[in-house]
Structures are given as structure tokens and as C-alpha cells.
Amino acid sequence: MHQAYQLAQQAACEDEVPVGAVLVHQNTLLSVGYNQREKRQEALAHAEILALQEASRELKTWRLLETTLVVTLEPCLMCLAACQQARISTVVYGALDPKAGALSLGYGFHQDVKLNHRFQVEYFPYPPAARILSDFFKKKRKKALDSQK
């Protein structure tokens, strides 16, 4: 989780929503990603998606079997679906996202028996991940208020 958090810090330094992700297989780092939606002007440039894409390119397969995605923030619907499509085994996240997190919103399809692949999801509370997000959005709100004056 610490490596994912370092990537979240990098995202914050680039004025991106501070979310970082790492993909591992048997304690070996396969790929990393951090939010780059503003930089790339791409709606899909979430940390999780970028980490999955990088691993697929490196391994030359979209099937990322027996891998674990560690991400600082609870995945959104798109990212949770991407994990299902990539056939990963486990997602571990460090901060809840009650406004956009798939699980918080009640979309636990990672265990839906109607789908052809299921995987584990684990919440591993990591206070620095929640704090960096909170601080980031406080600064954004303050900046918005200051610009209205």
C-alpha cells in the first residue's frame, strides 16, 4: 500500500486526484499507475486502468491471473469492472469512497455468480490515503472560493 500511496502523492503533485495503484504477482511488482485524467484529458486514465494496461503490455496478455491490485482508493464501477475483465484475483484498497466507490454504492459484482469471473476485494484501512484525498479536495474548494472573491 505504501508504494501505491507514493504514486498518489505523485498524482497530487501533478494536480491530479491523488490515487495510486500497483499490480503485484507473488510479491513481484508488475506495474504501477496513478490518476492522469487531467494530464491526458482522458476519462479512462484512472490509476487502476493504467496499471492494468501497463501489465497487459508487459506480459503480452489481457489475462492478469493470480494478481493483486493494491489501490489507495476504493475502485469506481469502471475500475472494478476492468478488474473483472482482466481476471485479477484480488483488489485491496486503502480508503473508502462513499460518493463514487462501487462497493460503497452497493455494486459488489466482483462476487456475482452470473459473471464468468469472480475475485476478492479487501478493505485495508490506510489513513494516509484518506488524508491525502481530503487535503487535496480541501485545497480545491479553497481555491474555488478564493477565485469567486
Side-chain angles (χ1 to χ4, degrees):
M1 186 65 73
H2 183 70
Q3 279 185 293
Y5 176 71
Q6 289 176 318
L7 291 160
Q9 289 176 309
Q10 184 173 346
C13 288
E14 295 179 17
D15 204 29
E16 297 279 355
V17 175
V19 178
V22 297
L23 188 69
V24 296
H25 178 257
Q26 297 177 348
N27 294 320
T28 300
L29 181 67
L30 294 177
S31 62
V32 302
Y34 64 91
N35 274 1
Q36 295 183 44
R37 287 174 25 156
E38 297 302 326
K39 178 181 179 180
R40 294 180 180 211
Q41 289 300 300
E42 295 176 13
L44 305 180
H46 287 208
E48 302 94 324
I49 301 293
L50 297 175
L52 295 174
Q53 289 174 329
E54 180 184 328
S56 291
R57 278 192 303 274
E58 290 296 317
L59 298 173
K60 295 180 179 29
T61 181
W62 59 269
R63 289 181 179 91
L64 302 175
L65 302 169
E66 299 176 13
T67 59
T68 298
L69 181 72
V70 179
V71 61
T72 56
L73 182 63
E74 176 183 352
C76 69
L77 283 167
M78 174 183 70
C79 292
L80 201 63
C83 290
Q84 191 271 340
Q85 289 296 306
R87 308 298 194 260
I88 68 164
S89 298
T90 307
V91 172
V92 178
Y93 64 96
L96 296 171
D97 187 354
K99 293 183 180 179
L103 301 167
S104 290
L105 294 172
Y107 297 104
F109 61 86
H110 61 289
Q111 288 297 315
D112 190 331
V113 296
K114 294 177 278 190
L115 297 173
N116 63 338
H117 177 74
R118 288 169 292 288
F119 56 97
Q120 296 298 312
V121 175
E122 301 170 18
Y123 172 47
F124 178 82
Y126 190 73
R131 195 168 28 260
I132 194 172
L133 285 156
S134 177
D135 291 347
F136 178 82
F137 286 110
K138 280 180 190 172
K139 286 179 189 173
K140 286 288 188 189
R141 286 189 296 275
K142 183 181 181 328
K143 187 176 178 181
L145 286 172
D146 289 347
S147 69
Q148 292 176 357
K149 293 180 182 178

